[in-house]
Structures are given as C-alpha cells and as structure tokens.
Amino acid sequence: MQVRFVLGLIFSLIFTPLALAAESGYIQARQAQIFSAPSLQAGVVVVAKKGDAVEIELQQGRWLKVKFGDKIGWVSKLLVGSEPPKDKVTVLKGSD
C-alpha cells in the first residue's frame, strides 16, 4: 500500500505541470505573443507589450499559462519577469 502511494506521488510530481498560486509577472520584451497553446505553431490570442502585467496561472516546461486582461493563453517564460522592466539601462554617468 505504501509503495503504491510513493509511486503515485512520484508519478504526479513528474507528469503534473507545476501549478503557481496566481503570481504576477511582467513582459520584458518589446512585445510578446500570447498563444492559444504552448507552441509557436498555435494561434496568437493577443500581443502584450513591454511592461504589461500578466497573471501567471501555470508553468509547463518553458511555457507559462497567463491571464492578460480577459484573455488566457501561453507565453514563453523567457519573456516574463517577476519585476517590471527598467525603462533604460546605462553605464555612463550623465547620459540621457
């Protein structure tokens, strides 16, 4: 009985996507296509712009299932960060 429980637990950890507790994220790229499925071949639901906030519902591999306004779709996790993007980055003093 205990072996079945352990095997079931291992199976669920391996094959169930990581569920996130409605975490906020921010688009880091100039724009990000939000797809209907976790694939670049899927249809585009909506396009978000840099700095737009999304609600992260689920992570599956390299994809995040997000809510953006009243739309729900999938975006590459490489395009989403936990902090809003910086407007401008410079290493030179006094440059605008």
Side-chain angles (χ1 to χ4, degrees), residues 22-84:
E23 180 182 333
S24 291
Y26 300 90
I27 302 298
Q28 302 295 313
R30 188 170 54 93
Q31 66 178 21
Q33 294 178 327
I34 298 177
F35 296 94
S36 60
S39 167
L40 293 175
Q41 285 72 43
V44 176
V45 174
V46 67
V47 177
K49 293 185 172 40
K50 185 175 185 175
D52 284 344
V54 295
E55 187 176 313
I56 302 168
E57 295 187 346
L58 190 73
Q59 179 177 329
Q60 183 177 326
R62 294 182 223 169
W63 292 91
L64 299 174
K65 184 177 183 182
V66 298
K67 183 174 183 183
F68 178 59
D70 63 345
K71 308 282 187 193
I72 294 178
W74 296 85
V75 64
S76 168
K77 75 177 190 177
L78 297 174
L79 304 179
V80 179
S82 60
E83 300 288 328

Side-chain angles (χ1 to χ4, degrees), residues 8-19:
L9 182 62
I10 291 170
F11 182 82
S12 66
L13 291 173
I14 292 172
F15 294 105
T16 302
L18 176 63

